[in-house]
Amino acid sequence: MKSAMRPAKPPRRLPPKKPSTNQKDPVGVYCRVRPLSPSDQECCIEVINETTVQLHPPDGCKANRNGEYKETQYSYKQVFGTQVTQKELFDVVSRPLVEDVIRGKNGLLFTYGVTGSGKTHTMTGSPGDGGLLPRCLSMIFNSIGNFQAKRYVFKPDDKNGMDVQNEVDALLERQKREVQPQLITRTPLSRQRMDPEFADMINIQEQCKVEDVDEDSVYSVFVSYIEIYNNYIYDLLEEVPLDPIKPKPPQSRILREDLNHNMYIAGCTEVEVKSTEEAFDIFWKGQKRRRIANTQLNRESSRSHSVFMIKLAQAPLDADGDNVLQEREQITLSQLSLVDLAGSERTNRTKAEGSRLREAGNINQSLMTLRTCIEVLRENQLCGTNKMVPYRDSKLTHLFKNYFDGEGKVRMIVCVNPKADDFEESLQVMRFAEMTQEVEVARPVDKPICGLTPGRRYRNQAFKEELTRRLEDRGGPINGDAEDQAVVEILIQSFPPLPSCELLDANDDHTLPKLIEVLEKRRRIRQMMAEEFNKNVSTFRAMLQDLNGVVTAKENIAQGRMTEKDKMIASQKSEMERLDKKIKTLEYKIDILEKTTTIYEDEKRTMQQDLDSHQQKLQRQLSDKRRLEARLQGMMNENAMKWEKECERRVAAKQLEMQNKLWVKDEKLKQLKAIVTETKGDKPERPPREKDREPRGDVFKTRGGGQSVQFTDIETLRQQSPPSGGRKRRSSPSNQPPQGETTDSEWTDVETRCSVAVEMRAGSNLGPGYEHHGVTKRRRP
C-alpha cells in the first residue's frame, strides 16, 4: 500500500538510473521517398545515394528573395528510395528498437511529413505487405513465445507500474474476467475468427526473432492505443456503453508523472495480449475509432496524432525455476511507442474550413511545438545554454519528454512525396529533419541482474523429465492405484510363506500342524499389525486433534489479525480515496492553472504584438514628424531667405530714394546758392503759366510707391537789372500791388524767386517743372 502512495517530495532522478554523461547517441533520422502517383507528372526529389537526397525546384515555382530557388541537398542516416520494401525498412529502423525492448530498454519511433506522404502506410502497411507496427509485434511474440507468463500473472497498477501475483490468484482473476462480457479482453483472438480486413497484414512470412532472450524470465505484453486530437488525449480502446438516446462523448485523459518522474496517461486502457493476431486485432479496433477526414490533398487524412504503445513486463523465475519471483522490485518494464503524426498542411491548399480548419490549426501548432523543443535542445547542447524546453506547450511533446531526457532511443522516419505541389512543404520538413540529427539523447542503462543462478528453468525441466523416466522404468506412471497395490504387495511379503497343503496319507500328522502353526503366526502378525495400526490410528487421531486445536487457535489469531488488517485496509482505502480525490482536485486545479497560464501567455503574446505594433506606429509617426520638421525647417529657411532678399531690396530702394532726395536737396541748395550769388541786374523773364506751357518732362513711378520726373528740356532763368533805383524789397504791406496784378518787381525779389523756383510755395501757379532740375536721375552704383 505504501508503494502506491505518492511521496511528499520524491527525488528528481534515482542515482542508478542516471546514464553516463559521455554516453549519448544522436537521434536517428531516416528518409523515405514515396513513389510518384500516375496523376503527377513532375518530380522534385531525387535520391543521390544511400544517405543524401536532393530537391529540385519545379517549373513555375515561386522564387525566393534572391530571385530563384537553388537545388538543395540533405543528408540523413539512411535514405530509402521508392523501390524499398517494408522488410528492408523494418530491418534497418525498427529491429534494433525491438531488440532493446526485449532487453528492458525503451524506444520511440515516429513518422513525420506532409499530409499524403505515406506516414500511415509506413506504420500500418497494406494488405499483403504489413508495415512497421505488425512486424514489431510479430518479432516480439516470436522471441518470447515460449517464455510467456499465464494471463493476469502481471497486473497493471494504474500508476505506470506493474504488480505480480501467483498462478492461483491469476487463475481466479481469469475466471472473474470471463464472466464480465463488457471487457475488451473477454475472448482471446485464438478462439475467434480473424478479421479478413487485416489478416493479410499480419501474415508475415519472414520469421525474425531475438536470439539471446533471457530464458530464466517470464514475459507479458500489454498494448494501449491513444490519439491526440485538438491537443486532448483520447483512449481509443475505451469501451463506452451505447446509449441511442443520449450518447456519451469520449472523455479526454490527463497526463501524470509516476514515482520515477516518467510521464504516463492516467486511466488509459492496457490490454494483455498473447499473440500477434490478438494484438493487431486490438489495434484495428482502435484504428476504426481514430478521427480521419477527406481533404483536398488526402482522401483519408489523419486529423490526430496516434500513439500505439507496446509495454513488455518481465520478471525472473524463482530459484527452483518453477514460478515467478514474487518481488515487485525485480519486475522490468520496457515500452515501444509507435507514433503516427498527423501531416502538416496549408489551409489554402486543403480548402479547410470550420472544424477541419480548427483541426489543421491544432495539428500545425503541435508540430511547431515539437520543432521548437528540438531547436531548444539543439541550442542547449551546441551552445552550452540552459534554456527551458517548452514540453508542456503541447500534449505530444509533454508525453514523450522522458525519451529526450535519456529514457530511451529515439528514431524518426521522414516521409516525403516527390510531387511538385508539395515542394515548399517538403523543403521545410527536410530542413527540420536534418536539424533534428544534431540533438543527442543520453543512452539508457542496462537492467540490473537479479543474482539467481542462470539456466535454472531448463535444469528444472530436465530434472522433472529424468524423474518421470525413472519412475516409469520402475513401475509405470505413479498414481493412486499403483501406490495401493504396492502397499498390499509389501504387506503380503511380510507374512511367513504358507507350507505345502497337499495330504498324501490319511495318517499324515505333519502337514496340518505346520499349516496351523503358519496360520497362527500369520494371525498373531495380523493381530500385532492391527494393534500397531490401531495404536498408530489413535496416535494420529490425537495428533490430528492437537493439530486441529493448533490450527483453530491459529485461525482465531489469523482471523483477529485479518480483522485488524481489514480495518487497516479499509482505513487505508478511505485514505487513498481521499488522496485520490485530492489528487484529482489538484490535477484539476493544475489543469485550470495551465489553461490560465496558456490564456495569459496568449494575452501576453497578443499584448506584446500590440506593443510591437504601437512601437512601430510610434516609430513611423516619429519619422514622419522628423520629415515634417525637416520640411518645415526648409520652408522656414526658404521664407527667411526670401524675406531677407525682399528686405534687402526694400532697403536698397529706400536708400536709393533717400539718396535721390539728398541729391535733390543738394541741387536745390546749389541752385539757391547760385541764385543768391548771381547778378542782381538781370531780371528773369516771367515763366509761362501752367496752362500755357507744354510739359517738358516725363513722370515715372518709383519702387517705393512714389513718382519721379525726368526732364526732357532745360530751362535757364536769367536776371536783369532794374531800370531805376535798384531792387525794391518788400518792406510793408502798403507797398504791395493790388490783387490780380503782377509786376516785374515781383520776379526780381529774391524771396519770391526762391519760393517760386525752388520751393514751389503753396498757391504758386507754376508747373512741376520747377520742383526738380532737368538732369536725368542717376542710379547708385
Side-chain angles (χ1 to χ4, degrees), residues 437-469:
Q437 298 180 118
E438 301 178 7
V439 176
E440 293 183 345
V441 179
R443 187 179 301 172
V445 297
D446 296 329
K447 67 177 182 178
I449 301 175
C450 64
L452 298 176
T453 305
R456 54 192 179 277
R457 177 195 289 268
Y458 286 121
R459 280 200 301 271
N460 185 41
Q461 291 180 358
F463 172 75
K464 289 181 179 180
E465 291 175 357
E466 182 64 20
L467 180 60
T468 303
R469 186 183 63 80

Side-chain angles (χ1 to χ4, degrees), residues 83-101:
Q83 303 298 325
V84 70
T85 62
Q86 297 277 40
K87 182 182 183 304
E88 295 173 351
L89 183 66
F90 170 79
D91 291 338
V92 175
V93 180
S94 302
R95 184 164 186 162
L97 295 179
V98 177
E99 293 175 352
D100 287 346
V101 169

Side-chain angles (χ1 to χ4, degrees), residues 16 18 151 262 336 338 345 356 376 385 394 433 495 525 540 570 593 621 647:
K18 280 188 178 180
R151 197 182 295 268
N262 295 322
L336 176 61
L338 303 175
E345 58 186 33
R356 299 287 89 82
V376 174
T385 58
S394 173
F495 290 129
I525 292 173
F540 184 70
L593 289 176
Q621 291 178 355
C647 290

Side-chain angles (χ1 to χ4, degrees), residues 695-701 707-713 777:
R696 297 183 180 180
D698 298 328
V699 180
F700 297 95
K701 290 184 179 182
Q707 295 180 349
S708 62
V709 180
Q710 182 178 2
F711 294 97
T712 59
D713 195 4
K777 292 183 179 179

Side-chain angles (χ1 to χ4, degrees), residues 629-764:
E629 288 178 353
R631 183 178 177 185
L632 292 175
Q633 188 66 30
M635 294 176 64
M636 289 174 62
N637 294 334
E638 183 179 356
N639 290 334
M641 294 178 63
K642 180 178 179 182
W643 283 107
E644 184 178 357
K645 291 181 179 179
E646 180 67 21
C647 290
E648 290 178 355
R649 184 185 64 77
R650 291 187 180 184
V651 168
K654 197 68 177 178
Q655 289 177 354
L656 180 60
E657 181 181 357
M658 296 301 294
Q659 288 176 359
N660 290 335
K661 289 183 178 181
L662 290 175
W663 184 79
V664 169
K665 288 184 178 181
D666 291 340
E667 291 297 326
K668 288 180 180 180
L669 292 175
K670 290 179 182 179
Q671 290 179 6
L672 180 59
K673 185 178 180 180
I675 293 173
V676 172
T677 58
E678 71 181 357
T679 305
K680 295 181 180 180
D682 297 334
K683 182 179 181 181
E685 297 179 359
R686 179 175 180 235
R689 296 193 180 268
E690 181 80 22
K691 60 183 180 179
D692 298 332
R693 290 183 305 186
E694 294 181 0
R696 297 183 180 180
D698 298 328
V699 180
F700 297 95
K701 290 184 179 182
T702 62
R703 295 181 180 178
Q707 295 180 349
S708 62
V709 180
Q710 182 178 2
F711 294 97
T712 59
D713 195 4
I714 298 175
E715 179 182 2
T716 304
L717 299 179
R718 295 182 182 277
Q719 183 178 7
Q720 296 179 359
S721 300
S724 63
R727 180 176 299 173
K728 292 183 179 179
R729 296 183 181 271
R730 294 182 183 180
S731 57
S732 62
S734 59
N735 298 326
Q736 292 181 2
Q739 186 76 18
E741 295 180 2
T742 303
T743 60
D744 293 335
S745 61
E746 294 179 2
W747 293 99
T748 59
D749 186 59
V750 176
E751 183 179 358
T752 304
R753 291 173 60 191
C754 291
S755 63
V756 173
V758 179
E759 296 180 4
M760 287 300 296
R761 187 176 54 189
S764 174

